[in-house]
Amino acid sequence: MALKRERPNSPNRAQEIFRSTSIKEQTSTFIGAYSPTLSAKALQSLPEFRTATHKIAAWRKPSRQKSLMPDSKVLYDLGHDDDGEKWAGGRLQNVLVDTQAEGVVVVARWYGGQNIGPVRFTHMENCAKEAIWKWKVADTAAQEEQAAKKQKVNDEAVRKELETNLRERDYNIFALRKLLAEKKARLNDEELAPPTPQKPQDYTRMGLDALRRMDKARDATIAFILKQIDKVEEELKLVEALDGGGVGSERGEE
């Protein structure tokens, strides 16, 4: 079964077309359309351009040819169709080059029978520039939206990692404090008090900046407890050394 071709005026295709406002000069009317993806023929075949006297087109698209020089600029395929309006296509092609736009621009002209002279080229160029400008605005907004979505995904991944790290640090802090209490009890020859149950903290309600600050605070807490443990261990070694020396002296006197 043959596959159906997508119609040029389908909703998805329509989103790829950016139109200018109309310009009227005496009995002539001009409207521009730009697309970064559609062909010149597709734009020239737009229903609203069906009755136009001229449908001038120009295109600038990346070439399949590759430059032999490394780090060279991208090569482009350039072309235009005057469609009976001599020199008009070249004007639109220059607009594409000047704006660095990659795609196709078409300007439709409805000729009312009255010659308006060279000003027609100015109107064609302005219609083309406006259509391209509308695309650039929409493209910039789309890129910003995409970047925002990507940043949101990255932030969520960082959040999950921070939440996991903080829960691990909370467990480590609880274990280290228990170890410190055991060593202090041994140093002071005291009975070890049972550890206070630790209530899990809900990190899901915290903002990303707050989680980062909390992460640094937990690192500082762990570093402080480790120093305390080292200090108590040094004191324990000193006490054990003194106790060992005392026992040896007493035995020597016997």
Side-chain angles (χ1 to χ4, degrees):
M1 183 177 67
L3 296 176
K4 293 182 179 180
R5 292 185 178 181
E6 187 179 9
R7 297 173 61 185
N9 58 347
S10 65
N12 291 337
R13 293 284 183 166
Q15 294 176 3
E16 300 171 346
I17 302 172
F18 300 85
R19 297 167 174 81
S20 72
T21 55
S22 63
I23 296 178
K24 294 184 179 181
E25 179 72 31
Q26 299 182 35
T27 59
S28 290
T29 302
F30 304 84
I31 298 177
Y34 171 81
S35 173
T37 57
L38 298 182
S39 66
K41 185 176 180 180
L43 284 186
Q44 288 173 318
S45 301
L46 290 175
E48 60 264 40
F49 292 168
R50 182 176 55 85
T51 59
T53 311
H54 306 284
K55 295 167 238 182
I56 307 97
W59 52 89
R60 178 178 182 265
K61 294 189 175 183
S63 175
R64 294 181 180 179
Q65 296 181 354
K66 302 296 182 180
S67 174
L68 298 178
M69 299 297 294
D71 301 327
S72 62
K73 294 182 179 180
V74 177
L75 299 178
Y76 288 94
D77 290 329
L78 297 169
H80 62 268
D81 176 13
D82 289 334
D83 194 32
E85 187 71 87
K86 191 174 181 181
W87 299 306
R91 295 290 190 101
L92 298 187
Q93 183 176 307
N94 290 336
V95 170
L96 289 172
V97 174
D98 292 341
T99 57
Q100 295 295 294
E102 298 180 6
V104 175
V105 65
V106 170
V107 175
R109 180 192 181 186
W110 285 262
Y111 177 62
Q114 184 176 1
N115 293 330
I116 59 175
V119 72
R120 67 187 186 278
F121 297 122
T122 301
H123 295 331
M124 292 175 191
E125 291 172 345
N126 287 338
C127 285
K129 290 176 182 178
E130 182 183 350
I132 293 170
W133 175 79
K134 286 184 176 180
W135 162 72
K136 288 192 173 184
V137 170
D139 185 60
T140 300
Q143 290 183 14
E144 291 176 350
E145 182 180 0
Q146 185 178 5
K149 289 181 179 179
K150 184 178 180 180
Q151 185 63 45
K152 185 177 180 180
V153 171
N154 292 339
D155 288 349
E156 190 61 28
V158 172
R159 164 186 284 279
K160 294 296 183 183
E161 184 179 1
L162 283 171
E163 290 177 7
T164 300
N165 290 342
L166 283 168
R167 293 188 184 98
E168 291 178 355
R169 282 171 169 75
D170 287 344
Y171 174 79
N172 291 337
I173 289 172
F174 177 78
L176 288 172
R177 281 175 173 166
K178 181 180 178 182
L179 178 62
L180 178 61
E182 291 173 353
K183 291 184 178 295
K184 284 185 175 181
R186 180 182 170 188
L187 177 64
N188 299 323
D189 196 18
E190 297 175 346
E191 185 177 351
L192 179 65
T196 303
Q198 188 177 19
K199 182 179 179 181
Q201 187 163 349
D202 184 11
Y203 294 111
T204 60
R205 299 180 180 274
M206 289 187 179
L208 190 58
D209 291 339
L211 289 173
R212 288 192 175 106
R213 291 194 297 269
M214 187 68 73
D215 189 55
K216 291 182 179 180
R218 291 292 185 269
D219 282 344
T221 300
I222 290 174
F224 175 77
I225 297 174
L226 288 173
K227 287 182 179 179
Q228 293 295 310
I229 291 175
D230 290 341
K231 181 179 179 182
V232 173
E233 285 181 343
E234 290 295 328
E235 293 178 358
L236 278 171
K237 289 179 181 178
L238 180 60
V239 170
E240 289 174 356
L242 292 174
D243 289 344
V247 171
S249 298
E250 291 174 359
R251 287 179 180 176
E253 291 175 357
E254 291 177 356

